[in-house]
Structure formats: structure tokens, C-alpha cells
Amino acid sequence: MTTQSDERYILSLDQGTSSSRAIVFDHSGSIRAVAQKEFPQIFPRSGWVEHDPHQIWASQASVIAEAISSIDINGKNIEAIGITNQRETTIVWDRDTDEPVYNAIVWQDRRTSPYCEKIISDGMEETIRQKTGLIPDAYFSATKIKWILDNVPGAKARAKEGKLLFGTVDTWLLWRLTRGNVHVTDVTNASRTMLYNINTLEWDQELLDYFDIPRSMMPEVKSSSEIYGNTTSTLFAHEVPIAGIAGDQQAALFGQMCVEPGAVKNTYGTGCFLLMNSGTKPILSKNRLLTTIAWKIGDTVNYALEGSIFVGGSVVQWLRDNLRCIICSSDVEALASSVPDTDGVYFVPALTGLGAPYWEPEARGLISGISRGTTSAHIARAALEGIAFQTLDIVRAMELDSGLNICNLKVDGGASRNNLLMQFQSDILYTDVLRPRITETTALGAAYLAGLAVGYWKDIDSIKRQWQLDKEFKPSGDVQKIKEKIDGWHKAVKRDILK
């Protein structure tokens, strides 16, 4: 397939936890080319998860070349590059040699959990929440940076001499694309480090001092949509502006065009990530949600409330690999649909703990209501309903925190293709669930941010007109029966937490 030499595109780099992708979008927001490459996961010890930063870069560079060559274009045809990335993953490298001092410590890594307990015992929990909108957890970047400086020989001294740099994955890619000319991140990624003050929009000196992290390590923080620099790597024959950055979940929120306060999206992946656009002022949650920056465009900052579900689509993998009641993950819808309901079975899929709004990492999966008549179909249906019930809990917490009632839920991710799950989600939320035609919303959001910065798209309103509906799910069923099912779910969760 070839293209006309005068056509212009946006290239989106979607650097994820298990693979790197490059997607070429045209002016209508349609995908013209896509390439994907997995890279190795490193598990040095139980609870430790690492990546080789060189492999992250190599895989991303490889898919860039593959995507643009597949439609016979080069740098002249690319108006701008947008970057979206796995958030919180931490890389520290030498300013002069570009050599990482340690592997990237991945967002999933739990090695610093004991230190997070010390943060709480030091009385820093509320300070961190007020300044960053986050809770002390190994999830975020601050304790990962500290671990590297404390455990890699000579790293702390080199950092204090100004020789080391920190970056989340977006910063690392930008550094490599510009051959070390640009050390920058955007506000969305900065807001996930537990070091960035989301009120003042600056690295917080008190927190840097507490974690003993030199300010010289930290990248400059810019908006999510502006030109940060031009490519100077040999990937492109011509310089291409890099003009959009957002962490993956914020990029998906923007890609779904959740640009009004109260707009909510849920990404149904291995876990689930719900974000609500909460407007131009941060709302500190009273219901154990996170407050984060959604994006900054021009001088305007939009904030979001975020809730994470640890086990979403991965419960279907568990049904496949452990119970072996399905052969392929896609078989779960047919199996669950073979019974009219769960016959009183509830499945709390806390296989790796419960996320928001419970934050019970020690909770474990619970199946209740089993009788002699229970079949694998009932358990499969209860597993899908467990994903939807967890989503309901977070949406209700968001409504309480924000004072806003959601008018619909926009969905993406692999499990959003499951019509039974989406219909049940609509029923228990009693609101419309909207699935877009283009479900690559993370990469699309980064493309939109980059395109806005260079004038490829005129404004957000023109982009909103491009959003296309694939399927709308409207609430149906007996309201009283649904209320009883929700009550039964909360009783099951209570049993799980108290057991």
C-alpha cells in the first residue's frame, strides 16, 4: 500500500507495559498503519518487575520504522509525533553517556512497599495527599527513584553531582528521539511521581528533600500539547516535531473526548482504569480515589479523579488458564450467556487484592452463593458481573467526590467488546454505556494532543465531531432486582474484606 507524497499524518507512539506500538493516524482520526512489538519482562524476585530501558527504546524504534515503511512515508509526511506511555515506570540514566544505571522499575513493582509504611508512620501521608493527590504507595515513582539511589553503588553521589537524570518512559523516549537534547515530561506523567505539586504545578521541594532526590535529576515539566523538540535520530530523514505527551490513562480520557466536567471513561484491560474529568480545579477525594492531572493545553489545566481496579479482564484469563472452563478468552461471553443469571452466585475477583475505593491489597478472590446447581456458566457470568460491580463502586465514589452525576460511560479496552458485560454495566449504573468505533483511544489521544499543537486539527470542537459510536448500551431490566443484586455484591465484598 502506498500513499500520495503530499498526504500528512500524525504518528502516535504507544509505549506500554508489555509491548511498544506505533500508529499512524490521518486527519479523520482513522488508523492508516500500525506496528507492535513485545519486549521481555524481567522478574528478579517475587514482587519485583523490571524492563531493560534499551529494549524499550529498541522496540519503539523498530515499530516506528515498520509503521511508516508499511505505507511508504517518511518524516516529511509526518506533521507531528505524540507519545503516550505506561505511567510511573522509573528510569535513571547518566546525563553524558545515556546509559541507565539500573533497569527500569515498572509501575507494578512492589519492592518499596515497606518504605511506604514508613512514609505513613512518619506522618507524611496527608502532606503527600494534599500536594500530589496521591496516596503513599509503591505504585508511584518517588520510592522507585529513592531505591535506585540507595541501592546502586555510587548512584547517590553521582546524582548529587548532577550527573544522573530521572524520567518516566515518555521522558526516556523523548531523550532518545532528540539524542539527549530534551529532558522534559508533561504534567500528566509528573503528577504520577508523588513528587509533583498539582496545585502549584512545580516539583515540590519538601517532597524532594524528604525522599532525598536532587532537583537536578528532574525533567522540565511542560504542557501535554506543545512542541518539545524535533527528532534528531536516524529514524527519520527529516526533523519531525514531538508535540504531544500524556500518560496512557489520561491519553485515553482525551482520546474518548471526555473534555467536559463529569465525563467518565473506563478502560477494560487486564485491570480497569476509570477517570472522570473533574474540571479545572483539583478535587481531593474523600472516598479513596486518586486526584491527578488530566492534561494541560495552553494555560488551562484539567484535573481528573481516578480509580483503579486490579483485576478486570484478567479474571477471564483465570477462568481460561486455571479453571479451564473456556479455551479462548473470547469464549466467556457465550458461556456466561448460556444461563439467564448467576443463580445467586457472586464472584469478588480480588485475585491480587481490591483497588479503589477499598484499597485492600491483602484481599483475595471470593466466590459465594454456590449450590449443587452451580455450573461453570454461573461462575463465568458472576466473574463478568464482578468487573461491572467494581466499576459501579468507583463511579459512585466519583459522583460523591465531584458532586456530578455522570450522563454516560465511555468504554474501551479488550473487554469492552463483550456485549453481555457492557449491557450489565449499563443496567447497574442505570446510564448509557458508549463504545466508540475506534477503540485505540490511548494512541488516538496522544495523536490529538500532538496534532492540536501544530495546527493539524484546529481545536477540540473539531476533534469532538470525529468521535464515532460503535454501539450504545441502554439500561434495561427490573430496577428492584438490580438493586437487590447490588446489595448482594456489597455483602459479598464485606465478607471478603472481613474474612
Side-chain angles (χ1 to χ4, degrees):
M1 178 181 176
T2 58
T3 184
Q4 297 297 317
S5 61
D6 59 347
E7 283 193 63
R8 309 287 286 178
Y9 305 95
I10 300 293
L11 175 62
S12 185
L13 310 185
D14 184 356
Q15 204 299 302
T17 308
S18 59
S19 68
S20 297
R21 297 193 304 161
I23 302 180
V24 179
F25 290 96
D26 65 18
H27 200 270
S28 69
S30 298
I31 294 173
R32 298 297 296 271
V34 59
Q36 180 170 348
K37 185 173 183 178
E38 293 187 358
F39 57 89
Q41 309 293 299
I42 303 167
F43 306 101
R45 298 184 192 175
S46 176
W48 292 29
V49 189
E50 298 176 0
H51 294 156
D52 180 341
H54 290 308
Q55 290 175 339
I56 290 176
W57 166 243
S59 63
Q60 192 67 72
S62 173
V63 293
I64 290 171
E66 183 181 344
I68 61 177
S69 65
S70 71
I71 54 172
D72 194 25
I73 62 173
N74 58 36
K76 284 201 298 186
N77 300 95
I78 301 171
E79 195 82 13
I81 295 171
I83 297 174
T84 184
N85 57 285
Q86 51 169 314
R87 303 176 301 173
E88 297 95 17
T89 294
T90 297
I91 304 172
V92 175
W93 67 92
D94 187 283
R95 180 189 296 271
D96 296 322
T97 67
D98 300 344
E99 191 63 33
V101 302
Y102 190 79
N103 279 336
I105 301 181
V106 179
W107 60 272
Q108 298 163 315
D109 190 282
R110 303 303 299 173
R111 77 186 66 184
T112 60
S113 292
Y115 184 74
C116 293
E117 295 173 7
K118 180 181 184 299
I119 294 171
I120 295 170
S121 66
D122 284 349
M124 287 293 290
E125 181 174 14
E126 187 60 20
T127 297
I128 287 171
R129 196 176 79 90
Q130 291 286 338
K131 287 172 178 277
T132 71
L134 308 176
I135 61 173
D137 194 88
Y139 188 28
F140 306 110
S141 307
T143 60
K144 302 179 193 300
I145 303 170
K146 180 174 175 58
W147 188 93
I148 291 173
L149 296 185
D150 289 347
N151 289 275
V152 175
K156 183 168 286 189
R158 291 166 67 192
K160 290 185 175 179
E161 291 169 2
K163 295 180 178 179
L164 299 185
L165 299 177
F166 153 73
T168 41
V169 171
D170 58 304
T171 304
W172 173 244
L173 293 180
L174 192 56
W175 180 264
R176 297 303 301 263
L177 285 165
T178 63
R179 290 189 173 182
N181 288 323
V182 180
H183 184 224
V184 160
T185 190
D186 90 302
V187 290
T188 70
N189 283 288
S191 73
R192 310 298 296 187
T193 60
M194 215 160 67
L195 295 167
Y196 189 70
N197 192 313
I198 63 172
N199 307 291
T200 63
L201 304 181
E202 294 178 329
W203 296 117
D204 192 276
Q205 193 60 52
E206 180 185 3
L207 296 179
L208 289 170
D209 290 343
Y210 175 76
F211 289 104
D212 197 20
I213 297 171
R215 195 182 191 96
S216 60
M217 293 182 69
M218 308 308 289
E220 183 181 359
V221 182
K222 295 200 171 186
S223 78
S224 308
S225 181
E226 64 177 279
I227 297 174
Y228 314 106
N230 295 312
T231 60
T232 56
S233 74
T234 55
L235 284 168
F236 305 95
H238 304 270
E239 288 189 353
V240 182
I242 305 156
I245 297 175
D248 52 10
Q249 300 309 320
Q250 289 97 327
L253 188 72
F254 195 74
Q256 286 276 34
M257 284 288 100
C258 293
V259 294
E260 305 295 335
V264 183
K265 73 89 191 174
N266 189 16
T267 298
Y268 295 80
T270 302
C272 297
F273 292 89
L274 283 89
L275 270 73
M276 170 190 272
N277 185 330
S278 60
T280 56
K281 291 184 179 179
I283 297 172
L284 284 182
S285 175
K286 296 178 181 177
N287 295 280
R288 309 191 78 186
L289 302 177
L290 303 178
T291 305
T292 196
I293 295 178
W295 53 75
K296 181 184 179 188
I297 299 175
D299 294 326
T300 302
V301 178
N302 273 73
Y303 293 86
L305 288 167
E306 177 173 331
S308 302
I309 294 169
F310 295 161
V311 177
S314 57
V315 74
V316 177
Q317 296 171 340
W318 182 83
L319 292 173
R320 181 195 66 197
D321 300 337
N322 295 59
L323 286 194
R324 299 187 179 181
C325 58
I326 53 174
I327 296 173
C328 302
S329 294
S330 57
D331 296 337
V332 73
E333 184 171 1
L335 177 62
S337 298
S338 68
V339 291
D341 53 44
T342 66
D343 194 27
V345 175
Y346 288 90
F347 191 157
V348 182
L351 306 181
T352 56
L354 280 173
Y358 301 104
W359 288 108
E360 292 285 350
E362 302 306 316
R364 288 297 176 262
L366 179 146
I367 303 174
S368 64
I370 296 175
S371 70
R372 284 287 299 271
T374 299
T375 68
S376 59
H378 294 113
I379 292 174
R381 192 171 185 118
L384 293 179
E385 290 187 359
I387 299 172
F389 281 130
Q390 291 178 98
T391 300
L392 167 73
D393 289 341
I394 292 178
V395 169
R396 294 295 176 253
M398 287 176 167
E399 290 179 328
L400 286 171
D401 279 334
S402 67
L404 301 168
N405 292 318
I406 71 165
C407 58
N408 57 55
L409 176 70
K410 290 182 174 178
V411 300
D412 53 66
S416 71
R417 308 307 304 177
N418 188 310
N419 291 333
L420 179 67
L421 171 58
M422 293 299 100
Q423 183 58 58
F424 186 73
Q425 189 72 83
S426 175
D427 291 345
I428 63 171
L429 283 173
Y430 207 72
T431 193
D432 296 348
V433 169
L434 309 178
R435 185 172 65 203
R437 187 169 296 176
I438 295 178
T439 56
E440 298 287 358
T441 55
T442 300
L444 185 59
Y448 282 155
L449 290 166
L452 284 171
V454 297
Y456 186 77
W457 287 290
K458 179 183 176 184
D459 52 31
I460 291 176
D461 284 340
S462 63
I463 293 174
K464 283 171 70 175
R465 291 192 288 270
Q466 295 186 171
W467 193 93
Q468 293 181 314
L469 180 70
D470 170 57
K471 189 173 178 62
E472 181 176 12
F473 300 86
K474 289 187 168 293
S476 62
D478 187 307
V479 174
Q480 183 57 35
K481 285 184 178 179
I482 290 169
K483 183 181 182 302
E484 290 170 1
K485 284 185 72 71
I486 294 170
D487 289 342
W489 161 257
H490 288 137
K491 288 176 183 176
V493 171
K494 190 173 182 180
R495 287 191 206 103
D496 193 9
I497 292 173
L498 296 178
K499 73 177 189 290

